[in-house]
Amino acid sequence: MSKLPKAHQFIDLSDYGRSPARGIATALKSTNFTPVHVTLIFIVSGLIAIYCMLNGQYKMAAIFLILKSILDAADGELARIKNTPSYTGRYLDSVADIILNLIIFLTLWHITNASLWMSLLAFAGVQLQGTLYNYYYVILRNKFNGDTTSRVFEDKTPVALKGEKQSHVNILFSLYKILYGGFDKTIYYLDSNASSGKTVPNWLMTAISTFGLGFQLLIIASLLVLGLKNIIIPFFIAYSVMIFVFIGIRKIFY
């Protein structure tokens, strides 16, 4: 089930795991598994990938990174199939992602010749890339009656939806603000008028989807398998320049 109406759907290069994710969600539809359970499983997959990286098992690490990406899509698919959207799941997913990303880049620092400051810079670049992609994507979803669980401006604690506890939403939203607040503010500062501008065209959204976490994990997995682990951190630092390129294109033409 797409998050956007057909006219505004774009080729999402970070969403290669959507088909298997739908298969997983369909298989779990009539079970007691909830989207939160799937999120917890993708956390385990990410931790296994990190363990494999630390032990030089790069092909296995790649497999579990891709599996993590697929499961990351499956929790949302299951929520849509079961019609059980929740802010608990939305913020747990995001909090888990950023913590795993930090551990992954600290692990890359440990297993490569990169310095700690470069590893942290690459992590920050990855988060800003993902934030820009999500910013434009959520604007589209809100503008065209798509999935609105994610909000353009995460400035107030949302009211819990049916089936979830407000206390859980409060805690997870507070964690989200602590972990993502700086990245959100930075992207908003760089392009504060995006929500009131013209619709970002599909071709540009496809290009920006290379900033999606799924595509980022695919790059990491591929470079690990190819024996190019030392390139991962410099690559993400350099690719962060495209943040300004994409924002510039949107501002000038759209």
Side-chain angles (χ1 to χ4, degrees), residues 92-245:
L92 177 61
D93 188 298
S94 295
V95 168
D97 277 338
I98 193 170
I99 292 174
L100 285 172
N101 282 354
L102 177 59
I103 299 174
I104 286 170
F105 276 91
L106 289 177
T107 300
L108 288 169
W109 164 57
H110 181 73
I111 66 174
T112 67
N113 55 14
S115 64
L116 178 59
W117 74 266
M118 284 187 65
S119 302
L120 294 176
L121 183 60
F123 164 74
V126 162
Q127 292 305 134
L128 287 172
Q129 291 171 30
T131 299
L132 180 66
Y133 166 67
N134 289 327
Y135 180 45
Y136 288 163
Y137 195 6
V138 172
I139 287 172
L140 281 175
R141 286 156 60 181
N142 279 255
K143 186 179 292 186
F144 296 106
N145 299 316
D147 179 8
T148 57
T149 306
S150 296
R151 301 172 298 171
V152 177
F153 304 108
E154 298 283 4
D155 50 1
K156 293 191 300 184
T157 305
V159 177
L161 299 173
K162 181 180 179 181
E164 62 179 341
K165 294 182 178 180
Q166 186 65 50
S167 59
H168 293 169
V169 176
N170 294 347
I171 293 169
L172 287 167
F173 179 73
S174 296
L175 286 172
Y176 174 89
K177 290 293 288 183
I178 292 170
L179 296 170
Y180 283 93
F183 300 113
D184 287 347
K185 289 178 181 177
T186 299
I187 292 300
Y188 180 72
Y189 174 78
L190 291 173
D191 196 1
S192 59
N193 297 320
S195 61
S196 58
K198 296 180 180 179
T199 301
V200 177
N202 292 350
W203 71 265
L204 183 55
M205 282 304 303
T206 293
I208 297 171
S209 73
T210 58
F211 282 174
L213 180 55
F215 198 77
Q216 292 170 336
L217 292 178
L218 180 61
I219 291 172
I220 293 172
S222 298
L223 292 176
L224 285 174
V225 170
L226 292 172
L228 300 173
K229 63 183 181 181
N230 288 314
I231 293 178
I232 297 173
I233 287 174
F235 170 81
F236 282 110
I237 292 174
Y239 197 54
S240 294
V241 172
M242 293 303 296
I243 292 172
F244 302 98
V245 173

Side-chain angles (χ1 to χ4, degrees), residues 19-82:
S19 292
R22 285 175 179 155
I24 293 171
T26 300
L28 296 176
K29 179 180 179 180
S30 300
T31 71
N32 291 326
F33 265 83
T34 69
V36 170
H37 290 143
V38 179
T39 301
L40 294 176
I41 295 172
F42 92 54
I43 293 172
V44 173
S45 182
L47 292 174
I48 293 174
I50 290 165
Y51 175 81
C52 291
M53 290 168 64
L54 287 170
N55 287 277
Q57 300 171 342
Y58 300 134
K59 290 182 179 179
M60 290 301 299
I63 290 171
F64 280 101
L65 285 175
I66 299 304
L67 177 60
K68 186 265 183 191
S69 184
I70 293 171
L71 293 171
D72 205 349
D75 56 5
E77 285 295 328
L78 186 59
R80 282 182 282 278
I81 287 176
K82 287 195 170 188

